[in-house]
Amino acid sequence: MTVLLIALGAAVGAPLRYLTDRAVQSRHRSAFPWGTLLVNVVGSLLLGALAGWPASAAVSALLGTGFCGALTTYSTFSYETLRLTRGGHRLLALANVLGSVAAGLAAATAGYALAGALTG
């Protein structure tokens, strides 16, 4: 049953990641991967909130592992950073790495704190 919940969450998260990324990137002329940054930060916020919420194992599998796992993307973040570096955009690559890590950690912390405040 857990595997089915994970697959269901991923079936929603992966297309949402793709559609969000394409919608955001189509509005920017910059080489910077704004769409990937957005989905990773939003996914970190949601996962932080889920970690701070007293959720059942089934909800954690569906939303945490399935949805957030498919919504966020470390592989695309890595590829886009490499693409920026190879394209001569080294400062953008550095900004992507530092900004993504800092924003992701801040979002996860905020989500965790918000969940704790709402449940505590």
Side-chain angles (χ1 to χ4, degrees):
M1 182 63 166
T2 301
V3 173
L4 292 175
L5 290 170
I6 292 168
L8 180 62
V12 175
L16 184 59
R17 175 187 70 217
Y18 175 79
L19 294 171
T20 302
D21 177 63
R22 294 296 86 211
V24 170
Q25 283 307 120
S26 71
R27 289 169 173 75
H28 296 280
R29 294 179 190 253
S30 170
F32 191 84
W34 292 108
T36 300
L37 176 64
L38 177 66
V39 295
N40 285 342
V41 170
V42 169
S44 294
L45 177 73
L46 294 173
L47 192 56
L50 184 62
W53 197 268
S56 68
V59 170
S60 293
L62 175 71
L63 298 178
T65 305
F67 180 76
C68 289
L71 178 66
T72 60
T73 173
Y74 188 77
S75 58
T76 302
F77 157 72
S78 300
Y79 166 74
E80 288 173 341
T81 302
L82 181 61
R83 183 181 49 79
L84 287 169
T85 302
R86 289 189 172 175
H89 302 285
R90 289 190 172 97
L91 286 178
L92 285 179
L94 181 61
N96 189 39
V97 170
L98 296 177
S100 292
V101 171
L105 288 172
T109 302
Y112 188 86
L114 179 62
L118 293 174
T119 61

